[in-house]
Each structure stands twice: as C-alpha cells, then as structure tokens.
Amino acid sequence: MVTFLDVVERALTGKPCSEREYDLKIFSTKLMEKVKEYDIKYDPETLVPSDNSLADDIFKAAIDFYCEVGTYCKDTERIIKFDENEIKEKLKTAPSKLTFGEGTDVGTMVPRKPEDKTLPWCFCGAGGVAVSSEHIFSKLVENYARIPIANSITTPSLTKVNGIRIRPESPLEILGAIRTVVLGREALRRGGRPGLPIMNSISTADSAIALIAGLHPEFGLRPTDCYMIATLAELKTNFDLLNRACTLMSLSLPIASLYGPIYGGYCGGPEGTAVATVAYHLMGALVYQAGWHLAFPIHIKYIASSMPELLWVASVYAQAISRNTHLLSLYFNYTAAGPCTEMCLYEIAAQHTSAITSGVSMETGGIAGGKREDYLTPIEPRFTAEVAHAAAGLKREDANELVKKLLPKYVDKIANPPLGMKHQECCDFDTGKPSQKCWDIYNKVKRELTDLGLEFK
Amino acid sequence: MSKEELFKKLSEAVIASDSQAVVDAAKQVIEKGIDPVEAIEKGLSKGAIAVGEKFDKMEIFLTGLMMAADAMKAGMDILLPHISKEKIVRKGTVVSGTVKGDIHDIGKNILVALFQANGFDVYDLGTDVSTSKFIEEAEKVNADIITLSALMSSTIGGQKDVIDYLKETGKRKNFIVMVGGGPTTREWVEEIGADGWAETATEAIKLASELIEKKK
C-alpha cells in the first residue's frame, strides 16, 4: 500500500529530471507513444462513442503511461513513480462511496456507469469563479442553496478584501480565505439549507497557508464538507500542494483532486488529452490520496471545453474511468459564452450530456471561460443539474445524436462568444434572483432540448 | 545544394522541429559563403512564421511549437556569430515571466516560444518572479518589453505591482509592459495601466511588434 509518506519520500529520491525534459521528452513523448500503441483515434462523427473497447483501451493506455511517466515534483525536480501493482491496488481500495452534508442535506456520492440511470451527484455553484464583492458572493450562494436538486455547493472566489486586491500568500489571502468560509456558510443558512456541503471548501485559498487558516473550526467548515487540491499541468505537483494534502489527511478530512489537462498543450490532440485525463485520476488517488476526482479538460486557446474534440474527451475519459474503476469522478465544464445567453446553455447541455451519459457526475463549470469577475448567475448551475438529471439513463448513441444537433447552435461562435451579463446586470440586488429575461432564455432552451429528446425530470 | 534549396531546407527543418537538420543546413550556409542574414530571413524565419500559423490553427500543439523554437535557436546559434553586429536586426528584447505567487507556466512558455521563433531575444525568468526581479533583468538586458503572465484571479495583482513599482521608481517609460493570462481582460489592462494585452500568444507577438515600432 502506498502511503502519503511514501509519496513524499519518492518526491525526494525519485529520478532527477529538469522540468523541460519532463514536459517535452517524457510526458509528451510517452503520451504520443501510448496513443499510437493503443491505436486510440478521435472520430469527429462520434462524439459520444458507444464502443466499449475504445474506453477500455484508453484506460489501459493511461495505466501504462502513468507507470512510465509518474508525477513531477517541481520543488525537488524529481519524478514520483508508481508501479502497476501499486496503481491497481489503489484502484481497488479507493472509496466507492462518500457521504457529505448534515441534517436533511446529507447525501452519498456513488460511482456511475455509462448509460446509468443512477442520478449524478450535482455539485452546483460558481466553480470557484471570482466575484468583485462580498454582497454578490452571498447572494449567489444563497440562491445556489435554492436549487432543489443541488447535492453540494461550490462557492465563488473573492478577489478583494475590504476593497484591497488579494495578493498570494499574503495576509489578504488568509483574510479572504476565512471570509469565504464564513460568508459561504451563512449564505447557505439564509438560503434555507445550512446542511448543504461546501465542496470546494475554501475557493479563495490558493496557497497551503491560506487553506490551513480557513480550516479553523471557528470559521464554520465541517468534516462533512470537502477539500480540493489542484494539480499542475501536466501531471505535476509541488510542496505547497503536498502540504495541503498532508494537512487534510492529518485531520481526516475528505480530499478531492482537480485536473485540467490542456488540449493543444503538452497533451497534444484529443486522444492524448483523454489518456492524460485518466492518468490524472491515478495521480490524484495515489499522490493526494483523493477520495473523489474532478476533471476539466480544456482548450489551450479558447479557455472553453465545448468544442467537438473536448466533448469527445469528456465522454471517453468518463467511460474509461466508469467502466474500469469505481472511482468517484465528476466532470467540470468551461463555456465560452457568458450568463444569460442561449449559447451558454447550449454549451452546458452538450458538455454534460456527453459526460453524464458516459458515467460520471457533475460540477457546474466556469462560465465565460471562468475568467471574468461577476459573470455568474444561479441559472447556469440550476440548468446544469437539470440537464445532468435528464441525461442520466440516456443511451450513448442517443446522446451522440443530441450533442451533434446542439453543436451547430454554437460552435462557430466559440472564438467570439457573447459575454452575456454580469450578476449585477441581470439579478436583483437585494434578493440575487435572476431577471425575467434570464428565465425566458432558460425556458426557451429547455423547450428546445425537450424537443430534441432530453426529458427533464 | 543551391542557396534556395538550403533556405527551403532550413525552413522545413524548423517546421519539423528537427534541430539537427537545422544545424546541418546552417553549417552549409556558412561553408558555402551564403549571406547568413538572408538565410535567417528566407529560411529560419519563414519556417518559424509557418510554425506560429500552424499552432494558431491547432495543426501542431505546444510540444511541436517549443521544439520548433529550439530548432530555430539552434540555427541562430550557428548563423549569428557570422553576422556583423551592425547587420544583426532583432525585433526586440523581451523579459518574460509569471508574476509573484503564481507557479503556472504553460501560457508563458507558449509566449516565449513564439517570441523566440519570431526573432525576438527573450529572457525567460520562469514562474513566481518577484516584482524587482522583472525590473532588474529588464534593465540588465536593456529590454524593450516586459511581459507579465498570471493564471489566477488571486495572482493578477502581481501585474499591477510591477507597473506600480516602475511608476514609483520613475522607470515606467523605459519599458513596454504587456500582460496576459486566463483572468486578464482588456478592462484589467486599462485599470492597471499596462501597454498591451492579447487574448492569445499569437496576437501578443503581433501586438509586441506594433508596440515596439510605435515606440521608435
């Protein structure tokens, strides 16, 4: 059994290697070799493939690949490696269910399979996207709590404390992290669901020290919330991230690991991105001892994941994981378009139909590329969760047809998408409730999706 | 091999990211007494431009781009010592890095590779670079441009810090400052008083050339 201390020891004693060599000669080269060896091919006509052998080949390629390349530790400039037996043992012993929340909002996250009717875990909210004020933060979270099928909440990030822009690893980041926790918990109480788990725990904390500060029980986080640790592209970690894992493990807090393999980056094309996404799950389970996993494969140029190649990646990675493991995996999307636009909802529908039908659960993604402050409303997470419930049980073949009908509605606009409206432009200041215009767009797109065969529950 | 054939070979070898083939062709350029300036313009640079275009269209990916930049550099290392200092025309000198507290480097790496491939002298400071380090290095190499990358909404403040530092030390006019990265927007650039911003690295290279021309 690989323990966390083994991981730390391997970070100190593994093969020394420069980062550039790891990126270009190890990660990239081996990934292309595995794609070729396993004959993995992207088919633009079949974005949600029904071919089980493709998913299984991607899984086998990912195990082979990860055995050979391991995880790069930037601080020690060494490679942390695992052998096949260690990987397989970890996959066997990884949790097959996890329970989160309190009171009437207790829920259990379970694994799903392709075409599974089991409802996905709905992780609703801001996906960590930034907001400019504590007021918008609170109104958003309050309204996320009012999404009836939300199983857990992801809060926005604060970029300012008392009007001062946060700087990393500074007292401002610590104050921001603490404030995120306090405001998030209070907003859920105001929204009438104080027991809902916050599963991105401290979105404003980008450093271990800020995370640790926000963990103090005084501020309101609970062991039934969840705590995320990022990875670095591609397949990398560092001491700051390992420090977070060390702290969370020592407190017996549930850990999730995040993966954003980059299409067009060192992963290459869709095939490499798919194999890398699966390999990241192995890294998360072994390096961070993560109990569940969040993947967001993303385009290098457009900071979105709604293009055909990435819909395929979402589907095949999800099938590879769900067919071959009981790992708890969630898919996170990035839309090019912003809130209160039809395009944003089409993108969400295509992305989550691909992933949910293929056997994973969901988190609401980064809207408008997740890069613009305040481009968030409670509509997008509600819509995402409803699509996810509707897509559960769909045949992959039907999902493929649906996705192909949605693509022409937005694909030509990805390079220049409509930005939509900021929260303050389309939500009521006092209540945070979206305007009628937002609801009209939401209802129109839902009607269209119903006509295309998606049955909203 | 004729002069034109050698130029073609240089260009194709850059596109193929074949450093050894670039070196071999560059050595032949010198051996045959061909003008190395012409070899750079009609061979290496032509290949580099094609590589940039291919990356923009996603016909090649980041690994190909970075290896092509390496091949270009290998060729330049052979040819440049044979060009008199007066004849060396470089597009500009750039100091590039990711700001303090931010350890993400992929966006910055793309930018650096494209700058190199397009004939700029680039000093890559890496990630988590302190404010004063950007300025010290820019002064040391007499840079035209400082580029500041940031991936996180929590780290873009570091871009403002460099600009404020330049302003408060009376050095703001000495350098063109460009910013980029996921959370940056045109509005942010206006707020902090940067000189340039682009959504993609390819656009950034074009803008850098324009800003240098404008400054002359």
Side-chain angles (χ1 to χ4, degrees), chain A residues 2-4 7 66 71 82 86-87 89-95 231 249 255-259 278-293 327-328:
Chain A
V2 178
T3 66
F4 182 66
V7 172
Y66 193 57
T71 285
F82 305 96
E86 289 172 330
I87 292 173
E89 187 194 36
K90 176 50 82 179
L91 291 177
K92 272 187 202 157
T93 56
T231 50
M249 263 177 253
I255 295 172
S257 185
L258 321 184
Y259 323 119
V278 176
Y280 265 113
H281 284 68
L282 310 176
M283 172 186 170
L286 285 152
V287 176
Y288 298 153
Q289 315 274 314
W292 65 274
H293 309 261
L327 293 181
L328 302 163

Side-chain angles (χ1 to χ4, degrees), chain A residues 64-335:
Chain A
D64 263 13
F65 170 63
Y66 193 57
C67 280
E68 290 188 31
V69 306
T71 285
Y72 187 75
C73 178
K74 284 169 77 103
D75 281 308
T76 60
E77 298 177 273
R78 287 174 185 268
I79 300 172
I80 305 165
K81 273 202 178 184
F82 305 96
D83 66 31
E84 192 174 341
N85 288 335
E86 289 172 330
I87 292 173
K88 288 188 171 165
E89 187 194 36
K90 176 50 82 179
L91 291 177
K92 272 187 202 157
T93 56
S96 58
K97 60 178 181 180
L98 286 170
T99 299
F100 301 101
E102 301 274 328
T104 52
D105 282 308
V106 168
T108 300
M109 185 191 284
V110 294
R112 301 178 66 249
K113 296 286 174 200
E115 305 179 4
D116 199 333
K117 288 182 181 165
T118 307
L119 292 177
W121 182 272
C122 291
F123 185 14
C124 296
V129 173
V131 290
S132 61
S133 76
E134 293 176 18
H135 177 78
I136 293 174
F137 180 105
S138 297
K139 290 299 148 193
L140 274 168
V141 177
E142 201 175 313
N143 281 282
Y144 295 154
R146 297 193 175 109
I147 300 169
I149 57 176
N151 297 110
S152 58
I153 290 300
T154 152
T155 69
S157 304
L158 293 169
T159 54
K160 290 173 189 160
V161 170
N162 290 32
I164 310 170
R165 186 164 284 276
I166 290 172
R167 299 296 197 280
E169 296 174 45
S170 72
L172 291 164
E173 193 194 351
I174 290 178
L175 289 171
I178 293 168
R179 208 160 292 186
T180 303
V181 176
V182 173
L183 289 173
R185 190 58 84 206
E186 174 58 18
L188 289 177
R189 197 168 284 119
R190 288 182 188 203
R193 293 175 75 186
L196 264 184
I198 299 174
M199 290 180 65
N200 64 335
S201 58
I202 312 177
S203 51
T204 305
D206 278 330
S207 64
I209 191 166
L211 174 97
I212 292 163
L215 285 178
H216 195 285
E218 176 94 358
F219 305 125
L221 280 178
R222 305 163 175 153
T224 54
D225 292 316
C226 186
Y227 303 81
M228 288 178 160
I229 307 176
T231 50
L232 299 168
E234 300 290 359
L235 287 182
K236 294 178 198 168
T237 189
N238 64 14
F239 277 164
D240 186 84
L241 294 164
L242 291 169
N243 287 343
R244 298 180 220 196
C246 181
T247 305
L248 296 171
M249 263 177 253
S250 302
L251 293 168
S252 301
L253 293 171
I255 295 172
S257 185
L258 321 184
Y259 323 119
I262 301 171
Y263 167 84
Y266 300 122
C267 293
E271 300 89 350
T273 311
V275 173
T277 308
V278 176
Y280 265 113
H281 284 68
L282 310 176
M283 172 186 170
L286 285 152
V287 176
Y288 298 153
Q289 315 274 314
W292 65 274
H293 309 261
L294 184 73
F296 49 98
I298 191 166
H299 195 285
I300 196 166
K301 195 170 160 192
Y302 297 120
I303 319 182
S305 54
S306 54
M307 44 291 290
E309 295 87 348
L310 283 157
L311 297 177
W312 181 85
V313 171
S315 173
V316 298
Y317 104 75
Q319 293 188 44
I321 289 292
S322 62
R323 279 184 48 76
N324 293 282
T325 75
H326 60 251
L327 293 181
L328 302 163
S329 183
L330 276 64
Y331 166 72
F332 178 98
N333 64 312
Y334 278 93
T335 66

Side-chain angles (χ1 to χ4, degrees), chain A residues 19-20 24 28 74 130 159 165-168 206 232-233 238 262 264-266 268-269 299-301 303 371-372, chain B residues 56 58 61-63 66 70 100-101 103 105-106 109-110 152 154-155 157 161 182-185 187-188 199:
Chain A
E19 190 167 0
R20 191 174 173 86
L24 299 181
S28 211
K74 284 169 77 103
T159 54
R165 186 164 284 276
I166 290 172
R167 299 296 197 280
D206 278 330
L232 299 168
N238 64 14
I262 301 171
Y266 300 122
H299 195 285
I300 196 166
K301 195 170 160 192
I303 319 182
K371 60 182 270 185
R372 292 175 180 275
Chain B
D56 206 38
M58 288 280 104
F61 303 118
L62 179 57
T63 308
M66 292 184 72
D70 283 351
K100 180 79 184 155
I103 51 167
D105 62 2
I106 289 185
N109 288 348
I110 297 170
M152 313 293 287
S154 58
T155 59
D161 291 342
T184 59
T185 59
E187 297 76 42
W188 170 245
E199 195 131 29

